Amino acid sequence: MKTIMDHLEKTMHSFPDNIAVSDEEYAYSYSELVRRSKSVGTAVAALKFRRRAVAVYMNKTPGCAAAMLGAAYSGNFYVVIDPKMPVERIKKTFSVVEPVAVITEEELAVNVPETGFQGSTFLYSEISEKAADEELLGSIRADMIDTDPLYCLFTSGSTGVPKGTVVSHANVISYTDWFIGAFGIDETFVFGSQTPFYFSMSVTDLYSSLRTGAHLAIIPKKYFSFPIKLIQYLNDKKVNAIYWVPSALCIVANLQLFKYAKPEYLKMVLFAGEVMPTKQLNYWISNFPELKYANLFGPTETTDICTYYVVNRHFEDGDSLPIGNACENCGVIVVNEDGRQCAPGEEGELYVRGSFVAGGYYNNPEKTAEAFVRNPLNTAYPEIVYKTGDIVRYNEFGELIYCGRKDFQIKHMGYRIELGEIENAAMAAEGVSSAACLYDAQKDSIILIYEGKPEKDDMCAEVKSRVPEYMVPSQYIRIKAMPHNSNGKIDRVWLKNNYKEI
């Protein structure tokens, strides 16, 4: 059981007719998903490349999932490309991974030449219907090992060139071992899938489903603009588990949607990707106190998650949720600026060790060396750990608290300040649905941008009542709708570049 395909086929033999993945139009059983994935793998394998990148340039559909798995069957790894990504960004991504093939669909194929790609382009609709070459695929599988790459996910880079995190079969198998066990995932689960396949959060619900016989129900993005239809869709699909970014959960809470419609089958609400505002979480809990709620935390470089906290007590609006403790078979350490382990309550950078940790960044040894480093607490033998850049501390319960990013930390008026703390104060104000804090280093100015009812003077008074004077923003900007990036997070880059024109 060294590859994801081994686990997928085991599931297929146990639950051949279970729905594996569906959307509004299509539903693939496990038998059909494997059949189509093998067909795709056969077409790509004929190119005779191994352990190279295969770009999957498709909309989020069951077919996209089959194309991703097909790339793996071919002995290569997949890179999912956002169909809405600007051509220049695709070019930069391709310049890093140099894909040997592109799998796409009819409506997107016309865009491929604009990227400058000159290799083999396959239409999923054609190659997924052809017969698989079982002998060829078998010989490829025999040559594979668990540390071979399964996928490469791209995050923004400080130099403007995207960074591609390389994640192996072993990473995903080890990670989903924890997730399946921690949350009791089995064939009865129906995940309402919100996050794109090019976002690391999708790894969790996709692969835990594929390993257990669960059903991944893809939620059309449009329904998050029509929340009543969103709830109807969840009920139609009998979704009983969701793993969403907090921004998506906040849409429901801010509209007080449960006055009008309620999910009938939901049992578990998980969230990750950004800070979950306690006020909006309390709205969910007040309406569905019997559900399991958990705050998951981790970067792309740890497959998806490295710590988690199952909500087990009440939090007041404005409190910070813990990010909990390390997942099973995952080690975390908190290190201060001197490279020593932090004392309880002392803030430091979170380092992660273990089999969840990715191999590094594709074709980027410099950035890999900066982030994937030798464990500073272990000088006895070589052990690579990942420096997350996240500042954390342990609370009185022995739980990790997220304090902010190293790059969100500023020095203002002689004080070190985490902008996330100001955001938490703003989010606790009545009528505020979203908030983002920026720092203009040239003007030594803190800017708070928020979406909600309070006027600027009232917002200032609210924040002043919750943070020290030296943390009070010098500028308040009320915005009609907070911009979000393709992953559903607040688009801080856009805000930083455009806040003066808002």
Side-chain angles (χ1 to χ4, degrees):
M1 304 296 286
K2 60 186 178 180
T3 70
I4 280 296
M5 294 84 77
D6 296 322
H7 288 271
L8 171 62
E9 290 173 18
K10 180 182 178 182
T11 301
M12 179 198 69
H13 291 305
S14 299
F15 308 104
D17 299 324
N18 278 20
I19 298 300
V21 58
S22 71
D23 61 9
E24 279 189 300
E25 295 184 59
Y26 302 101
Y28 287 178
S29 67
Y30 275 93
S31 293
E32 184 173 6
L33 178 63
V34 170
R35 178 183 66 79
R36 289 179 178 271
S37 299
K38 284 185 172 182
S39 295
V40 171
T42 297
V44 178
L47 299 177
K48 298 183 178 180
F49 290 104
R50 301 293 180 265
R51 293 177 288 280
R52 296 286 298 277
V54 175
V56 178
Y57 181 44
M58 298 175 66
N59 290 295
K60 185 184 179 184
T61 61
C64 184
M68 292 154 55
L69 293 165
Y73 268 107
S74 76
N76 297 288
F77 63 92
Y78 64 83
V79 180
V80 179
I81 302 297
D82 177 8
K84 294 183 173 58
M85 185 185 293
V87 170
E88 288 305 312
R89 173 79 176 190
I90 298 177
K91 286 181 179 179
K92 289 180 179 179
T93 300
F94 282 5
S95 72
V96 174
V97 293
E98 299 177 334
V100 296
V102 172
I103 305 171
T104 188
E105 50 200 54
E106 286 83 348
E107 65 181 82
L108 297 172
V110 294
N111 301 330
V112 174
E114 296 180 37
T115 68
F117 177 73
Q118 296 180 342
S120 300
T121 299
F122 297 101
L123 288 179
Y124 170 77
S125 59
E126 294 179 357
I127 60 174
S128 66
E129 294 290 352
K130 294 183 178 180
D133 186 334
E134 295 286 355
E135 184 177 351
L136 173 61
L137 297 181
S139 66
I140 291 170
R141 188 96 64 87
D143 189 48
M144 294 179 71
I145 60 175
D146 64 354
T147 54
D148 283 342
L150 173 61
Y151 64 79
C152 183
L153 284 188
F154 277 80
T155 58
S156 60
S158 57
T159 62
V161 178
K163 294 183 299 184
T165 302
V166 181
V167 177
S168 70
H169 291 260
N171 291 144
V172 174
I173 292 167
S174 180
Y175 170 72
T176 49
D177 278 344
W178 160 72
F179 184 81
I180 291 166
F183 295 102
I185 311 302
D186 61 23
E187 73 278 7
T188 67
F189 272 68
V190 181
F191 280 97
S193 175
Q194 175 258 325
T195 55
F197 285 150
Y198 53 82
F199 188 30
S200 64
M201 282 177 64
S202 68
V203 172
T204 298
D205 49 15
L206 173 62
Y207 284 105
S208 62
S209 294
L210 297 185
R211 289 192 59 188
T212 60
H215 173 189
L216 188 81
I218 295 171
I219 303 172
K221 189 175 180 179
K222 63 185 179 183
Y223 286 154
F224 288 91
S225 299
F226 301 96
I228 294 289
K229 291 186 176 181
L230 170 64
I231 300 299
Q232 291 173 347
Y233 189 82
L234 296 182
N235 290 336
D236 289 343
K237 293 284 186 178
K238 297 185 178 180
V239 167
N240 55 22
I242 58 175
Y243 177 40
W244 294 356
V245 293
S247 297
L249 294 172
C250 287
I251 290 172
V252 172
N254 293 335
L255 293 173
Q256 297 190 352
L257 187 59
F258 297 141
K259 289 181 179 178
Y260 313 102
K262 291 188 176 184
E264 298 172 6
Y265 302 93
L266 204 56
K267 296 179 180 178
M268 190 169 72
V269 177
L270 311 177
F271 40 90
E274 57 188 345
V275 174
M276 179 70 206
T278 316
K279 182 173 64 176
Q280 281 80 356
L281 176 61
N282 283 339
Y283 175 79
W284 278 81
I285 293 175
S286 66
N287 281 274
F288 298 101
E290 73 282 3
L291 303 189
K292 175 179 279 191
Y293 298 88
N295 186 23
L296 279 60
F297 179 86
T300 301
E301 290 86 348
T302 64
T303 307
D304 183 27
I305 296 302
C306 57
T307 72
Y308 74 114
Y309 169 70
V310 177
V311 178
N312 60 3
R313 61 184 184 271
H314 175 71
F315 292 87
E316 298 293 335
D317 293 356
D319 287 350
S320 294
L321 281 179
I323 59 171
N325 296 101
C327 308
E328 180 69 22
N329 200 30
C330 178
V332 298
I333 53 178
V334 184
V335 180
N336 63 22
E337 292 181 352
D338 297 326
R340 294 195 296 268
Q341 189 162 7
C342 288
E346 180 186 0
E347 291 186 3
E349 184 176 358
L350 183 69
Y351 287 48
V352 185
R353 67 188 190 95
S355 54
F356 293 15
V357 176
Y361 301 119
Y362 194 85
N363 199 23
N364 197 336
E366 182 179 337
K367 290 296 181 183
T368 298
E370 289 177 8
F372 296 83
V373 301
R374 184 164 178 166
N375 186 345
L377 306 183
N378 176 11
T379 58
Y381 60 87
E383 181 186 29
I384 298 299
V385 297
Y386 174 65
K387 293 176 61 175
T388 66
D390 296 307
I391 305 300
V392 300
R393 63 175 175 82
Y394 281 100
N395 65 10
E396 66 273 25
F397 299 102
E399 302 157 342
L400 283 169
I401 296 291
Y402 175 73
C403 303
R405 289 284 302 169
K406 283 183 73 173
D407 46 9
F408 282 5
Q409 191 179 72
I410 65 170
K411 195 166 185 179
H412 177 62
M413 297 174 61
Y415 295 91
R416 287 189 176 183
I417 298 171
E418 293 291 346
L419 297 179
E421 187 175 349
I422 304 171
E423 292 178 0
N424 283 339
M427 287 298 298
E430 184 68 25
V432 174
S433 57
S434 189
C437 211
L438 309 177
Y439 179 62
D440 188 327
Q442 290 184 330
K443 296 181 179 179
D444 191 25
S445 175
I446 299 172
I447 301 102
L448 177 66
I449 302 172
Y450 67 99
E451 178 186 341
K453 296 178 181 178
E455 298 291 341
K456 294 180 182 179
D457 290 346
D458 295 331
M459 191 74 250
C460 180
E462 289 279 0
V463 174
K464 279 186 175 180
S465 71
R466 291 180 172 86
V467 300
E469 183 64 29
Y470 62 83
M471 292 177 64
V472 174
S474 56
Q475 186 177 354
Y476 295 79
I477 300 174
R478 185 164 70 161
I479 192 169
K480 288 184 178 180
M482 194 70 74
H484 294 87
N485 61 24
S486 58
N487 291 338
K489 298 182 182 182
I490 292 173
D491 194 338
R492 297 174 187 276
V493 173
W494 187 91
L495 288 174
K496 190 171 184 178
N497 293 334
N498 295 278
Y499 79 89
K500 293 178 183 178
E501 283 75 48
I502 295 175

